[in-house]
Amino acid sequence: MAPFVVGSQKPEARDNTTPLEQRLGLATAVVMPILEIGALGYVTWVVCYLICIQYLLNPSTDLRQSFGVQPRRSTGIAIIVVYAILLFCLMVPFLRLLQVIWAKPDLLSPAESTREKKDADPRSIEQYDAYICDYEGLPLFCDKCRIFKPDRTHHCKELGRCVRKMDHFCPWAGGIIGETTHKYFMQFVGYTALYTTFIWIVVAIFLADRLSKTGSRPGPWIGALVLGVLFCIFAFTMSCMTGYNLCINYTSVEAIQRGGVSNIAFLITRMPHEPKLPQTPPTSSESDVKDPEADDDWPVLRITQRSGGRSFVVMQTKPFQHPWSTTMMQGWTDTMGASFLQWVLPIQHSPSKKRSRSGEFRWGEVVYDMAKKYQRDNPGARLALLEGRR
């Protein structure tokens, strides 16, 4: 079986989404945030008014005389203050996330549907010292948008557009999570987990208190408790998954495709004295007899000339080798920022948006090791990626 190449699409896996399905997907991205705001309003009414004001600050005469419920003003005020702070911390990244999603900074413009791959211009991607490519050394091509895709770009079926560093389409967040919005999405789900945890704990404590004193279980309180628990589970799970993927420098799309191989084109600044013939990818029978611990076995697929007479050598990673794998802290800071304030404040965009000559994103050590091996095996050869690292 041929190896699965990250970013490639087999004909049977192509997007067959109908225009109706796309419209429904976009409609849910509008409806869901409205429902979330409605749920926030409902929970605010229950916690601040029904629990804090009517039960803690100023319980009714019936509650005082019949059940001995006494005012607990300091407790009620403290809960309102903490609630307001958590709600503010939640709403700011949520609104920032919606604002950036609606601005659509990560969406690439499609070309005319009649344009063929041979007519598309790859120079904007071939300007880098290294980039993800196909077996011929060309950047990956989207057969729906009819454009060459920058590294880590994927086609979103709900939008019908290619998205830079696409993670996933999230109706709950109001749209696509990509390069610019990934940081704000992480802040949104993180603060939502804190907020909902506070909600269900407060409601559960005073629901139990009221049940023990009056024997009543108000329906609105139970509704707020259910919402708090459900959204807490969802937000906590999403924050853990998103945070982990950020640390290992994977998007959700890349995590699904984990285990495949990637072809990488390296810019050659000096050709080797006696270039070796490119290797063909090993067959299953050949790979069975090779040392499984040989981590530096990266086949050279070909040497090709691209625009402007620039020469590239195309090499292939091994399965499960992620081209952008770095340390966990580096993976986190590449998206969230270098300081704690950047982690918690939804102001600055992700540092990964800053391009460098070496590539669209910071390459992992495995890519530099591949370049070093090629230079060792081909005396006299020089690759631009290693020269730029000096």
Side-chain angles (χ1 to χ4, degrees):
M1 181 179 295
F4 180 77
V5 181
V6 173
S8 68
Q9 274 196 324
K10 298 179 180 179
E12 65 270 20
R14 290 179 181 173
D15 175 24
N16 296 316
T17 307
T18 65
L20 176 60
E21 290 174 325
Q22 286 187 346
R23 287 195 293 269
L24 288 175
L26 294 175
T28 57
V30 175
V31 173
M32 290 301 186
I34 295 175
L35 294 178
E36 289 169 11
I37 293 175
L40 288 174
Y42 171 78
V43 170
T44 301
W45 171 65
V46 172
V47 173
C48 294
Y49 181 71
L50 296 185
I51 296 179
C52 291
I53 295 178
Q54 287 196 337
Y55 188 70
L56 296 176
L57 293 175
N58 188 29
S60 65
T61 304
D62 182 60
L63 287 175
R64 296 187 191 190
Q65 295 178 353
S66 302
F67 304 103
V69 177
Q70 299 301 317
R72 286 166 280 183
R73 292 185 174 85
S74 58
T75 303
I77 293 173
I79 291 174
I80 291 175
V81 170
V82 175
Y83 179 87
I85 293 173
L86 291 176
L87 181 61
F88 177 80
C89 291
L90 167 62
M91 290 302 298
V92 172
F94 181 41
L95 295 176
R96 176 66 162 151
L97 177 62
L98 291 176
Q99 178 260 320
V100 177
I101 286 177
W102 293 341
K104 303 178 180 179
D106 300 326
L107 272 61
L108 300 181
S109 299
E112 295 180 3
S113 59
T114 56
R115 186 165 78 172
E116 298 294 331
K117 180 178 180 178
K118 61 182 178 65
D119 300 321
D121 187 1
R123 286 179 296 180
S124 62
I125 302 172
E126 292 176 351
Q127 66 176 315
Y128 296 118
D129 296 339
Y131 59 88
I132 300 295
C133 64
D134 59 17
Y135 281 94
E136 297 179 349
L138 282 169
L140 299 181
F141 187 75
C142 177
D143 58 1
K144 291 171 282 295
C145 291
R146 316 306 299 175
I147 60 173
F148 285 112
K149 300 187 294 184
D151 289 350
R152 312 188 78 173
T153 295
H154 298 278
H155 188 84
C156 175
K157 64 180 182 180
E158 287 84 0
L159 299 177
R161 301 270 291 277
C162 282
V163 182
R164 284 185 177 275
K165 201 183 177 186
M166 174 180 164
D167 190 78
H168 69 289
F169 184 84
C170 181
W172 294 100
I176 191 68
I177 307 303
E179 181 182 43
T180 311
T181 51
H182 211 165
K183 171 182 176 178
Y184 306 131
F185 178 75
M186 179 66 221
Q187 292 171 335
F188 169 57
V189 294
Y191 282 124
T192 300
L194 288 176
Y195 169 82
T196 52
T197 299
F198 178 78
I199 291 300
W200 74 258
I201 290 177
V202 167
V203 176
I205 288 174
F206 292 104
L207 181 61
D209 179 78
R210 177 156 185 161
L211 180 61
S212 65
K213 291 180 179 179
T214 68
S216 64
R217 294 185 291 266
W221 294 30
I222 295 176
L225 178 62
V226 171
L227 282 176
V229 170
L230 292 179
F231 277 94
C232 179
I233 295 172
F234 174 76
F236 180 76
T237 302
M238 284 300 301
S239 60
C240 290
M241 291 175 57
T242 303
Y244 178 71
N245 281 340
L246 289 180
C247 288
I248 62 174
N249 212 345
Y250 272 85
T251 64
S252 295
V253 176
E254 292 164 350
I256 293 173
Q257 296 175 344
R258 190 180 306 181
V261 298
S262 299
N263 300 328
I264 305 176
F266 296 88
L267 174 62
I268 303 175
T269 57
R270 187 199 301 172
M271 294 296 292
H273 301 318
E274 297 180 2
K276 295 183 179 180
L277 292 176
Q279 308 165 20
T280 56
T283 62
S284 57
S285 59
E286 291 174 338
S287 61
D288 289 342
V289 299
K290 289 190 176 181
D291 181 5
E293 301 299 324
D295 292 333
D296 60 348
D297 183 20
W298 298 294
V300 176
L301 303 183
R302 65 186 300 159
I303 295 177
T304 181
Q305 276 203 333
R306 306 302 320 147
S307 57
R310 289 151 58 93
S311 296
F312 289 85
V313 57
V314 180
M315 301 180 69
Q316 188 178 86
T317 65
K318 296 180 67 176
F320 292 99
Q321 287 184 335
H322 188 50
W324 297 280
S325 287
T326 55
T327 64
M328 296 190 75
M329 178 55 71
Q330 187 65 65
W332 173 266
T333 56
D334 275 353
T335 296
M336 300 301 295
S339 68
F340 178 76
L341 286 179
Q342 289 178 314
W343 302 352
V344 298
L345 298 179
I347 299 175
Q348 295 179 331
H349 290 319
S350 300
S352 63
K353 287 179 64 65
K354 297 178 181 178
R355 313 293 177 209
S356 70
R357 187 70 185 176
S358 62
E360 283 276 327
F361 299 93
R362 184 196 306 269
W363 293 108
E365 284 301 318
V366 64
V367 177
Y368 288 101
D369 290 341
M370 293 170 69
K372 292 174 185 175
K373 180 178 185 295
Y374 179 77
Q375 290 192 168
R376 287 197 309 269
D377 294 346
N378 296 270
R382 291 293 181 268
L383 300 184
L385 185 68
L386 296 181
E387 293 177 352
R389 207 183 191 195
R390 291 175 183 172

